Amino acid sequence: MQKHVELELSGMTCASCAARIEKSLSRLEGVRAASVNFATGKASVEYDPARLEESDLVQRVENAGYGARVAGTGEASGEARILLEIDGITCAACVARIERALSRVPGVHHAEVNLATRQATVRYDPARTQPARLEEAVERAGYTVLETARPEEALPVPREEDELSRLRSRLFFSIPAAGVVMVLSMVPWPGHVPPAWAGWLMLALATPVQFWAGGSFYAQAWAAARHGTTNMSTLIAFGTSAAFFYSLVALLFPTAIAPEGHAPLYFDTSAAIIALILLGRTLEARAKGQASQAIRRLVGLRPRTARVVRDGTEVDLPIDDVQVGDVVVVRPGEKIPVDGEVLEGASAVDESMVTGESIPVEKHPGDLVIGATLNRAGTFRFRATRVGKETMLAQIIRLVEEAQARKAPIQHLADVVASYFVPAVIAIAVLTFLGWYAFGSAYVPAGQTRFTFALLLFVAVVIIACPCSLGLATPTAILVGTGKGAELGILIRGGEALQIAERLDAIILDKTGTLTRGEPWVTDIIPAGGVDSTELLRLAASVERGSEHPLGEAVVREAQAQGLALAPAQEFEALPGRGVRARVDERALWLGSPRLLAERGLELGPLGEAVRRLTEAGKTPLCVADEDRVLGVLAVADTLKPGAAEAVARLRQMGLEVVLLTGDNRRTAEAVAREAGIDRVLAEVLPGEKAEEVRRLQAVGKRVAMVGDGINDAPALAAADIGIAIGTGTDVAIESSDITLVRGDVRSIADAIALSRATMRTIRQNLFWSFFYNSALIPLAAGALYPSLGILLNPMLAAAAMAFSSVSVVLNSLRLRRFRA
């Protein structure tokens, strides 16, 4: 029996990607036929359900380097998502091990672990597995699940303070204890060996450092060993235990180590290594806490109570008790508790904490307000339209959390390397010990035995090679970069979006609502001779006062903005396709196209040239006339948003080709393009053809970003390499995008690309120095330069270098917090 399934694919950039996935699926035993459609981003697979499961197909695609999920699945139809907060993750090898364990659970579609947040995001089929089985898989891998949560419901509870508290208590004991041990070991005792009392004092101080302060290393190493694996804690426990137990034997049975009874002690080495690593962990935890401040700030914005009108009385309720439809009262200086629509009153609202826009926004009846923003001025009432997890703040938090949990493709290389790194390091350390012990007698320094010399080199190799910095290189940069984006009103969906956005070649801008305001505005008022421009606008707005046509509304809006007192219109009549007529101040007036005036037998005269010029500029001329003559011309157009031309100029300076895409007529589109500074225009494109225009650009080898705001832009947003949605647009467009600009400012497009470039530059710096550090210092720690140059790496210096490497990676990532739009 054959079964058919469709997979939704991600990560494909060209037809060769589709061919690669198709070939990979076809070669899977049990697959009868596989077909991949690059245009739709889907794979159609026929397979034998007795030999394969859907998760096997998904895994096959992911192994090929792409993303996949069963088409049509979601929270209500076959797929659920869960966050697991995991204790014991210390390095990239841990990340790879947990991901592998979770991926092997039947029903798991995808598992991704973030070292910086110590969380696993798992997509799974709830009909085939349950969260308890996921927890069991993590436990079997040697780790502990602290908490589980559904991503869209969970508000993060930062644990950095708890971790910092535990680390500090151990660090504050370890540093002075290790310091005393080091002083005792460095005192020039007769015979170069400390007396018995000094040795016993060093043992008394080093023991709690080794087994209490360093106890977590043993626990994590043992948990990994029980499952036949290793991690960074294995290296630390292995290395420090070698130094400690050697010293213990040397103290208890000195002649067993050195026949003359003068065996050196290395309690200082084990204690100092643990103290230095704890110092590094403490600094790292503190830096990681700073890196995740964006989430904490967003959570802190959420008000705790709301003033709701119930049965005609204002009552203060917990925020979770507010329901859709409730009338909420907000006074000056208070936070708006939930999203809603203003019913009465007016105010200026500071929306900077959500949108990044620093200038307060005027709010009047009919305007929308965003939960967690600050009411600066007047009192107003609004009707709650979104509460709980549906509010914009909750959605922003969810998007940022998801972005920080998702990896950039570049991270997978680091994870693969790290998964093999720890066993390889232990093998190198053992070979180092055996080699120096067997063949290094001629190079043993004075005061050391061949055994102790080989042992110190063994410990140095084990300690220097901990791949912690390698695992932190990518997630910390993504954590800070996406968090900074959220502060600026730029929501980036994760590392993959960051990595692709950095390499863009072309930007396609939708016109209406993206580059332009999305509604008509009066741009020109040209009166005829003897007519005042203000009076012309007043008469035109009075005529249009009763009209519902967008052009008429634009005229009325302009008159109201200028504070003009409008007269009542009588005998109003709409003339379809031509304009309107009405009687104002006992005067018959006509307003509409030049054709309407021609029908009335009126000549434009000198105004004819103005009408031609306005038409060529893509504007709509509205002619105003009375019974005897033409009074003037108003021009109405969908004008550019503030900063649109500046945004285009910045994009071009960044080396990007900018294209205007619209369904509007070519004349209007070219006029808007000229004003914005865009050379290439794709006009009169039907909604269904927009995605095809994106693919045409991709077909010539360009990496394309699509920027849009409407439902008709959603297919193009999904087809583009990167979809950028204007946050003031529709939910469908936002859901189809990879980057969302919350405040709708097109200048944020360049900011988003600049931020992605800065983040990827930081990731590459982190990975380079991590790889370089681990590659360059292992030979040094193994004593490769000692025979020729006499250079050795002391284990304590190795521990300090290892701790510094992890801290330096996090600190380098934190530089992204200084990014400015």
Side-chain angles (χ1 to χ4, degrees), residues 542-590:
S542 297
V543 171
E544 291 283 14
R545 193 175 188 180
S547 172
E548 296 180 355
H549 194 283
L551 299 183
E553 291 176 349
V555 174
V556 174
R557 185 167 55 244
E558 178 65 22
Q560 291 174 339
Q562 294 190 20
L564 304 182
L566 304 185
Q570 298 173 339
E571 303 175 15
F572 177 86
E573 180 184 0
L575 307 172
R578 293 168 293 163
V580 296
R581 65 171 296 278
R583 182 170 293 276
V584 176
D585 296 336
E586 302 301 323
R587 185 179 183 183
L589 297 173
W590 282 262

Side-chain angles (χ1 to χ4, degrees), residues 159-181:
R159 297 179 179 270
E160 287 89 352
E161 290 301 322
D162 294 338
E163 183 182 359
L164 269 176
S165 179
R166 289 194 301 269
L167 287 170
R168 282 171 176 160
S169 62
R170 287 160 172 74
L171 179 66
F172 291 157
F173 173 82
S174 301
I175 286 183
V180 173
V181 173

Side-chain angles (χ1 to χ4, degrees), residues 399-684:
L399 285 171
V400 175
E401 285 182 309
E402 288 180 0
Q404 294 181 344
R406 293 169 70 175
K407 295 180 181 178
I410 197 173
Q411 171 67 14
H412 292 289
L413 172 64
D415 289 347
V416 170
V417 172
S419 65
Y420 296 102
F421 202 75
V422 175
V425 166
I426 293 177
I428 292 171
V430 171
L431 290 174
T432 298
F433 175 82
L434 294 176
W436 282 106
Y437 183 76
F439 307 108
S441 56
Y443 301 100
V444 177
Q448 292 188 30
T449 66
R450 187 172 47 166
F451 178 83
T452 58
F453 178 62
L455 179 67
L456 287 177
L457 292 175
F458 166 86
V459 173
V461 170
V462 167
I463 297 302
I464 198 67
C466 291
C468 187
S469 60
L470 195 61
L472 290 169
T474 298
T476 52
I478 291 175
L479 193 72
V480 181
T482 53
K484 184 64 183 179
E487 291 179 14
L488 298 173
I490 302 168
L491 302 183
I492 303 171
R493 286 188 179 268
E496 184 176 2
L498 280 169
Q499 188 164 337
I500 297 173
E502 181 220 16
R503 303 195 303 264
L504 289 172
D505 302 308
I507 297 281
I508 298 178
L509 299 173
D510 174 57
K511 181 180 77 71
T512 306
T514 298
L515 202 59
T516 63
R517 295 175 184 266
E519 57 184 1
W521 292 75
V522 174
T523 59
D524 302 84
I525 303 175
I526 306 173
V531 180
D532 180 70
S533 60
T534 302
E535 178 64 10
L536 176 65
L537 176 62
R538 186 188 74 84
L539 291 173
S542 297
V543 171
E544 291 283 14
R545 193 175 188 180
S547 172
E548 296 180 355
H549 194 283
L551 299 183
E553 291 176 349
V555 174
V556 174
R557 185 167 55 244
E558 178 65 22
Q560 291 174 339
Q562 294 190 20
L564 304 182
L566 304 185
Q570 298 173 339
E571 303 175 15
F572 177 86
E573 180 184 0
L575 307 172
R578 293 168 293 163
V580 296
R581 65 171 296 278
R583 182 170 293 276
V584 176
D585 296 336
E586 302 301 323
R587 185 179 183 183
L589 297 173
W590 282 262
L591 187 150
S593 66
R595 189 178 68 166
L596 176 64
L597 270 62
E599 291 176 357
R600 296 282 307 157
L602 297 174
E603 297 289 338
L604 287 172
L607 292 175
E609 176 61 24
V611 169
R612 185 189 63 78
R613 177 172 47 82
L614 293 171
T615 302
E616 289 180 351
K619 300 177 182 179
T620 301
L622 298 177
C623 303
V624 184
D626 60 15
E627 292 181 337
D628 301 320
R629 64 177 182 135
V630 178
L631 302 177
V633 177
L634 306 178
V636 179
D638 183 8
T639 58
L640 286 178
K641 287 182 177 180
E646 177 191 342
V648 171
R650 286 184 59 195
L651 291 171
R652 297 181 66 170
Q653 289 171 2
M654 297 170 79
L656 298 167
E657 178 185 358
V658 183
V659 180
L660 179 65
L661 177 67
T662 180
D664 210 341
N665 66 77
R666 179 162 293 279
R667 178 188 296 172
T668 300
E670 289 180 344
V672 171
R674 281 195 300 273
E675 189 178 355
I678 299 174
D679 296 328
R680 185 172 180 183
V681 178
L682 301 174
E684 300 174 2

